[in-house]
Amino acid sequence: MKVESLISWRGCSVPVRGEYGAETRRAAVELFEQGYGAWAIAGRLNVRRNTVVKWLGRYRRQGDEGLERATVPMKYSVQTKIAAVEAVLAGTVKHPQ
């Protein structure tokens, strides 16, 4: 986790910048359930409002499980991409419809 500094919220250390863990996402949900809006939560946890909205949406759709992992786009090496294309062209793997 890339953390430049921490703030304390309800006995928890919350990252101010960088990647946020499930603890921070749970803190956002708890603040929302206490009546705070997305702007207030974002300011309190020093994250972007859009990030808070995304977390709250995942929580509504998936419950606690939605807060467990961050959604980070997968990065594949050039070799992996070439191998995948070759497998599709060879017919050993079907392209998803």
Side-chain angles (χ1 to χ4, degrees):
M1 177 185 328
K2 297 179 280 182
V3 178
E4 292 182 16
S5 59
L6 297 172
I7 59 172
S8 180
W9 180 80
R10 299 195 74 187
C12 302
S13 295
V14 179
V16 174
R17 288 192 181 93
E19 298 173 14
Y20 303 96
E23 182 178 301
T24 305
R25 294 186 288 273
R26 280 194 195 91
V29 169
E30 193 169 323
L31 286 169
F32 181 76
E33 290 175 346
Q34 292 174 11
Y36 290 90
W39 281 110
I41 296 167
R44 186 117 184 227
L45 298 178
N46 198 23
V47 299
R48 293 179 55 216
R49 180 192 161 277
N50 291 347
T51 301
V52 171
V53 170
K54 178 181 70 174
W55 293 343
L56 295 174
R58 282 195 352 225
Y59 179 73
R60 281 188 208 110
R61 288 187 308 276
Q62 302 171 10
D64 287 329
E65 187 176 308
L67 302 176
E68 288 302 317
R69 56 184 165 68
T71 53
V72 177
M74 297 294 292
K75 294 181 182 180
Y76 299 101
S77 69
V78 172
Q79 294 83 3
T80 301
K81 292 175 185 178
I82 291 171
V85 170
E86 288 174 346
V88 170
L89 293 175
T92 57
V93 176
K94 287 189 174 184
H95 186 278
Q97 300 300 324

